[in-house]
Amino acid sequence: MRIRTTGVVAVLGLALAASGCGNGSSSSDKPATQNSATPAAAGGKLVIWADDKRTAALKPFAEEFGKENGVKVEVQAVSKDLQTNFVTASQQGSGPDVVVGAHDWIGNLVQNGAIDPVQLAAEQKSGFNETAIKAVTFNGQLYGVPYATENVALIRNTELAPQAPKTIEELVATGKQLKAQKKASEILCLQSGQNGDAYHIYPLYTSGGGYLFGTAANGDYDPKDLGVGKPESIAAFQKIAKLGEKGDGALKRSITPENAISTFTGKKCAFLVSGPWAIADAKKANIKYDISPVPGFAGGKEAQPFVGVQAFYVAAKGKNKALAQEFVSNYVTKPELAVALYKAEPRPPALTAAFDQVKGEDADLAKFAEAGKNGQVLPAIPAMAAIWDPFGKAEAAIIGGADPAKTVTSAGKAIQGQIK
């Protein structure tokens, strides 16, 4: 998850860039018994949409599934705006049978009638990371089969900073010393840019006492309890402001989603807040690194990163729903597939057997898992779509020197106005 983008709420008017990737005619042209038919009767074809990296990893397993079931399986890459394209295609009747994506899509996908619940036996559920199962559960129903978890951590150049900082203040002090010694040009690489990045700043926001949504009695996020704009959020951003361009200079809008990792791998900063997706670049640059939890403010609360999950979903308007359920419930749950997806882009597998299989050859997995063990599941409720843009822009403005109280209060009002 290199870049967080604003959520998708209304997509009816969007054109589908990948409109040629669907199954064919509208589902309304099919008899009602189609989805409950055998794969052969339903046309013997399963269409899966995924991004580029996962498409390459999935293809051999999809072919194997096809051979075992006597059907044709197509794995199609949708390089950009996968969620938007999927929802639009679903409404047009030209979507896939299975889609692969982030768990925080779920609220939007359910709201748009784009995905069906997934049926897993209790024994199957118990084989997954508990947080991963929680992430794909919405309104009491399981809506996806998770295959990987992800969260940010502090990635440290151990040649420049041998010891992991216990607090953000300690990190800043080390970064300033390295700058004074001309061993680094930046204190910290935490991406913001002109539009901010709620995902990457979240550990510091929580350490400062801020929250996005409260929780209902059943533990679900409550969209009626918005934390942005409340005193806790203002206090958190007042602390963040002190790290900004008018303060310590640890947080800067010039550190963007496009250059945060490269600035770190170019040895211009000793500390990078990022996720498993950054490790390949660090290795390629021969950086000696270590991974530890993002440190919080001295005397503050624990810094809690978002925990995200990647999952497989069954399209509600797919042409082969029975086949899709079979693939997602009984094939995606195989450790071999989870390991292959891990090798395509190393993120901790959600399936415990797969995690145990690869952790011995990749010490980074356990360190990222440790950094995220007390993290917060990224909200998948539809209201989360209203958070990203106003929150991010408020963050960037405050990093640039804007008044935290006025800026966060305004952002809270903007978010509240978008939540229905």
Side-chain angles (χ1 to χ4, degrees):
M1 188 177 295
R2 289 177 180 266
I3 303 173
R4 298 298 319 176
T5 55
T6 54
V8 180
V9 179
V11 293
L12 284 169
L14 294 176
L16 176 61
S19 59
C21 297
N23 282 345
S25 59
S26 169
S27 58
S28 62
D29 296 330
K30 304 295 182 182
T33 57
Q34 180 82 14
N35 289 327
S36 60
T38 63
K45 182 179 178 181
L46 182 74
V47 176
I48 303 170
W49 279 9
D51 66 13
D52 296 322
K53 289 187 177 180
R54 272 158 279 272
T55 295
L58 277 171
K59 280 187 175 179
F61 288 89
E63 290 173 1
E64 180 185 347
F65 176 83
K67 290 178 182 178
E68 290 177 359
N69 290 274
V71 296
K72 182 179 180 181
V73 182
E74 292 183 1
V75 186
Q76 300 172 348
V78 180
S79 301
K80 294 182 179 180
D81 300 323
L82 177 53
Q83 181 187 181
T84 302
N85 286 332
F86 170 60
V87 174
T88 307
S90 175
Q91 293 166 342
Q92 295 178 347
S94 58
D97 302 292
V98 174
V99 67
V100 185
H103 87 272
D104 58 304
W105 296 3
I106 291 177
N108 181 52
L109 297 184
V110 172
Q111 190 176 55
N112 281 280
I115 57 174
D116 278 343
V118 174
Q119 305 303 320
L120 287 186
E123 183 179 354
Q124 289 177 301
K125 282 187 182 181
S126 67
F128 287 93
N129 175 301
E130 186 177 343
T131 300
I133 289 294
K134 181 180 178 182
V136 294
T137 301
F138 182 75
N139 288 342
Q141 294 195 78
L142 191 74
Y143 273 96
V145 173
Y147 74 84
T149 64
E150 59 188 12
N151 55 266
V152 298
L154 183 69
I155 305 171
R156 184 178 85 258
N157 182 325
T158 55
E159 290 184 329
L160 296 174
Q163 302 299 321
K166 296 179 180 179
T167 64
I168 194 68
E169 289 86 355
E170 184 181 328
L171 182 154
V172 170
T174 301
K176 285 184 174 180
Q177 185 178 29
L178 290 169
K179 283 188 68 176
Q181 296 170 344
K182 299 190 183 302
K183 293 181 179 179
S185 58
E186 301 290 349
I187 295 172
L188 170 65
C189 287
L190 189 156
Q191 66 187 54
S192 167
Q194 296 298 320
N195 293 317
D197 190 309
Y199 182 79
H200 284 79
I201 200 67
Y202 197 68
L204 295 181
Y205 178 69
T206 55
S207 180
Y211 72 100
L212 292 185
F213 298 105
T215 52
N218 64 357
D220 290 345
Y221 286 110
D222 181 3
K224 295 180 181 178
D225 182 4
L226 175 66
V228 183
K230 291 186 176 177
E232 297 92 334
S233 66
I234 294 172
F237 270 110
Q238 286 171 337
K239 289 179 177 291
I240 290 170
K242 293 178 181 178
L243 301 175
E245 294 167 15
K246 302 295 184 181
D248 290 316
L251 298 175
K252 299 169 68 174
R253 290 169 294 176
S254 59
I255 302 297
T256 70
E258 292 75 26
N259 67 27
I261 294 174
S262 62
T263 302
F264 175 76
T265 58
K267 299 185 179 180
K268 296 178 182 178
C269 65
F271 303 102
L272 169 69
V273 173
S274 193
W277 51 87
I279 296 303
D281 290 346
K283 289 181 176 178
K284 186 177 180 180
N286 294 316
I287 300 292
K288 293 182 180 179
Y289 67 88
D290 202 358
I291 300 163
S292 57
V294 177
F297 292 102
K301 295 185 176 181
E302 180 182 25
Q304 295 182 285
F306 280 131
V307 176
V309 170
Q310 296 289 322
F312 286 78
Y313 305 105
V314 173
K317 298 180 182 179
K319 307 302 184 297
N320 263 320
K321 291 170 70 169
L323 187 62
Q325 286 281 358
E326 172 67 20
F327 179 80
V328 169
S329 301
N330 297 317
Y331 198 74
V332 169
T333 51
K334 292 185 176 184
E336 297 88 346
L337 178 55
V339 171
L341 289 168
Y342 154 78
K343 290 181 177 179
E345 188 176 31
R347 304 174 191 227
L351 194 64
T352 304
F355 182 88
D356 291 342
Q357 187 175 330
V358 299
K359 69 179 182 181
E361 60 191 59
D362 187 350
D364 295 343
L365 286 183
K367 293 176 181 178
F368 271 111
E370 177 68 20
K373 72 176 184 179
N374 294 320
Q376 296 182 9
V377 173
L378 182 63
I381 57 177
M384 187 63 192
I387 291 285
W388 298 114
D389 187 61
F391 187 102
K393 287 179 178 175
E395 171 205 338
I398 291 166
I399 287 174
D403 178 75
K406 290 181 180 179
T407 307
V408 177
T409 299
S410 177
K413 291 179 179 177
I415 293 167
Q416 192 68 65
Q418 292 182 42
I419 296 175
K420 298 177 181 180

